[in-house]
Amino acid sequence: MRSERGLLIVLSGPSGVGKGTVRKALFNQEDIQFQYSVSATTRNPREGEVNGVDYFFKMREEFERMIANNELLEWAEFVGNYYGTPIAYVEQTLQQGKDVFLEIEVQGALQVKKAFPEGVFIFLAPPSLSELKSRIVGRGTETEDVIHNRLTVAKEEIEMMDAYDYVVENDEVQLACDRIKAIVVGEHCRRERVAKYYKQMTEVE
Amino acid sequence: MRSERGLLIVLSGPSGVGKGTVRKALFNQEDIQFQYSVSATTRNPREGEVNGVDYFFKMREEFERMIANNELLEWAEFVGNYYGTPIAYVEQTLQQGKDVFLEIEVQGALQVKKAFPEGVFIFLAPPSLSELKSRIVGRGTETEDVIHNRLTVAKEEIEMMDAYDYVVENDEVQLACDRIKAIVVGEHCRRERVAKYYKQMTEVE
C-alpha cells in the first residue's frame, strides 16, 4: 500500500538541540526503512570520518561548480566551509519508492521546503522549551533578566517551527527516535497519498 | 509535551471491513493510552455483553430523549435499533487531556466530523482495494462483469475516504493496530498542536 514515490523526511531544529545524535541513533536501529542522504562539504574529514558515509568531501572549486550547476537541493556556508545536499541521490531514491532522510540546519530546511513542499518537515525541539513554564512559575530562584532572555529565545524557537509539519521534543534520544518513526508510518497512511494511489489503480479501466 | 486537551480519534470504514476486530485487538494491548468511548444502543444485549463495557443498553424512549436533548455526538438507526455516542463521556475525557477513541459507521463519522473537525479521522480500508490492480491486470480469470462491479465498489470506497485524514489498510489486524498507534503518536507531534501549547507557555509573561 506504499505510495509509489518515497517520502522526503527532513529533520532540523536549532543548533545544539542534538539533531546529529538523534539521526545516528535512528540509523543504528534495525527497523529503519529510510535512506540517509549524505551531505557534501568542503571541510576536512575528522578522524574516523569516511568519504561517502559521513560526508562527500569536496574541494572548494568542485562545490562551487555544484552550486553553479544547480546540483544541490540546499546549501549554506558555515565558518568558511560549504555544506549541502546533492540533489541526484535524493531524486533517484525517491523515484525508487524509498524514503529519504535529511538532517540539516534550519536555513537549509527552508530551502528544501521551497523545492519539496510535499516533504515531511520535523522540528527537533529542546526539552528546555517545555520546562519553561515550571521555570517561570517556579520557586523564583532565577532573576527577571534570566527569565526574560529565556523567553526571548523560546519565542524565536517557536517562530522557527512555523515552517514544519511536526515538532518532536528531544527529551530522550530513544523517545525522539520512536516519535520520528511513528510520524513516518503515519505519513504513509495520509489519505491524500493513499487515495491518490488507489485512484490511479481504478483508472486502469 | 502533550497538548492540554485530548485527541478525538475516530475509526470508521465500510461495513464488513473489520472495524470491531481491529478496535478489540487495539484495546487488548498494554501500551494503549486512549480511552474507548462506549456507544449507546436500544438493541438487546447478546450473550456475554456487559452494560457500560460493550454498550450502554437503553430503552427506546430513553434513547429518543437523548436525541431530543442533544446528548449524542452522532446516532443512527440500523435494522430497527438505535446506536449512538453519548457526548458527555467524550467531552469529559478530552477535557481531562486524555484521547478518546470511537469506532463507528461511516454515516456517524461524518456527523462527528461536523462537530469535531479537529478530530483524527481514520478510514479502515479493505485489503481488496490494493489487490485490485493485480486482479484487473491479472490472468483474466474473472469476467468483465465481476471486474466492473469490483471497480464500482472500489470507487465508492475511495470516495468515502475524502472526509478522512488517514487510510489504514486492514491487511493484517496487528499491522493495522500498529499503524493506528503510530498515527496517534504522530498527531500528538503535529506542529499546530505543539506550537499552540508552547505559545500558551510563553504568554505567562
Side-chain angles (χ1 to χ4, degrees), chain B residues 24-80:
Chain B
K24 274 178 207 151
L26 205 51
F27 281 91
N28 272 336
Q29 306 189 356
E30 278 174 13
D31 56 346
I32 291 302
Q33 304 270 344
F34 31 89
Q35 308 287 313
Y36 177 54
S37 165
V38 178
S39 296
T41 184
T42 56
R43 80 153 164 75
N44 290 325
R46 293 183 194 137
E47 211 182 306
E49 282 185 342
V50 178
N51 189 31
V53 174
D54 297 287
Y55 282 98
F56 293 111
F57 295 101
K58 303 279 178 191
M59 305 303 293
R60 218 175 155 79
E61 308 79 71
E62 234 182 321
F63 201 103
E64 284 171 349
R65 210 180 309 129
M66 292 175 83
I67 297 174
N69 294 341
N70 287 317
E71 292 172 22
L72 296 168
L73 182 52
E74 54 85 31
W75 65 274
E77 198 169 0
F78 289 110
V79 216

Side-chain angles (χ1 to χ4, degrees), chain A residues 1 4 125-126 129-133 136-137 148 151 154-155 158 161-169 178-179 181-183 185-192 194-195 197-199 201-205, chain B residues 1 4 125-126 129-133 136-137 148 151 154-155 158 161-169 178-179 181-183 185-192 194-195 197-199 201-205:
Chain A
M1 210 186 62
E4 278 167 356
L129 258 180
S130 61
E131 289 159 12
L132 201 59
K133 198 168 183 175
I136 294 167
V137 298
H148 182 78
L151 268 175
K155 280 178 182 166
I158 294 166
M161 290 177 194
D162 279 351
Y164 293 78
D165 303 304
Y166 296 95
V167 176
V168 164
E169 190 174 295
D178 290 345
R179 291 179 196 126
K181 288 194 284 183
I183 288 167
V185 171
E187 279 290 326
H188 275 285
C189 297
R190 285 199 75 82
R191 190 251 312 156
E192 308 92 82
V194 183
Y197 180 63
Y198 284 144
K199 269 176 197 150
M201 288 195 312
T202 59
E203 279 157 14
V204 175
E205 203 178 26
Chain B
M1 208 185 64
E4 279 167 355
L129 258 181
S130 63
E131 290 159 11
L132 202 58
K133 197 168 184 175
I136 294 168
V137 298
H148 181 78
L151 268 176
K155 280 178 182 166
I158 295 166
M161 290 178 195
D162 279 351
Y164 293 78
D165 303 304
Y166 296 95
V167 176
V168 164
E169 191 174 297
D178 291 345
R179 292 180 196 125
K181 288 193 282 183
I183 287 167
V185 171
E187 278 290 326
H188 275 285
C189 297
R190 286 200 75 83
R191 190 251 311 155
E192 309 93 83
V194 183
Y197 181 63
Y198 284 144
K199 268 174 197 151
M201 289 195 313
T202 59
E203 279 157 14
V204 175
E205 204 179 25

Side-chain angles (χ1 to χ4, degrees), chain A residues 108-169:
Chain A
L110 294 176
Q111 291 179 50
V112 176
K113 175 123 187 172
K114 274 185 199 152
F116 283 87
E118 75 281 17
V120 181
F121 292 82
I122 305 174
F123 187 89
L124 195 67
S128 55
L129 258 180
S130 61
E131 289 159 12
L132 201 59
K133 198 168 183 175
S134 55
R135 284 197 194 182
I136 294 167
V137 298
R139 278 159 295 175
T141 50
E142 295 186 72
T143 65
E144 288 255 331
D145 264 13
V146 169
I147 291 173
H148 182 78
N149 287 342
R150 190 59 204 105
L151 268 175
T152 306
V153 172
K155 280 178 182 166
E156 282 168 10
E157 287 169 346
I158 294 166
E159 251 172 57
M160 276 186 204
M161 290 177 194
D162 279 351
Y164 293 78
D165 303 304
Y166 296 95
V167 176
V168 164
E169 190 174 295

Side-chain angles (χ1 to χ4, degrees), chain B residues 57-106:
Chain B
F57 295 101
K58 303 279 178 191
M59 305 303 293
R60 218 175 155 79
E61 308 79 71
E62 234 182 321
F63 201 103
E64 284 171 349
R65 210 180 309 129
M66 292 175 83
I67 297 174
N69 294 341
N70 287 317
E71 292 172 22
L72 296 168
L73 182 52
E74 54 85 31
W75 65 274
E77 198 169 0
F78 289 110
V79 216
N81 281 308
Y82 288 124
Y83 294 81
T85 304
I87 207 164
Y89 177 82
V90 172
E91 259 303 337
Q92 282 161 20
T93 313
L94 293 176
Q95 274 177 23
Q96 287 163 17
K98 287 183 211 148
D99 300 342
V100 176
F101 186 93
L102 301 184
E103 177 242 310
I104 49 179
E105 301 299 325
V106 169

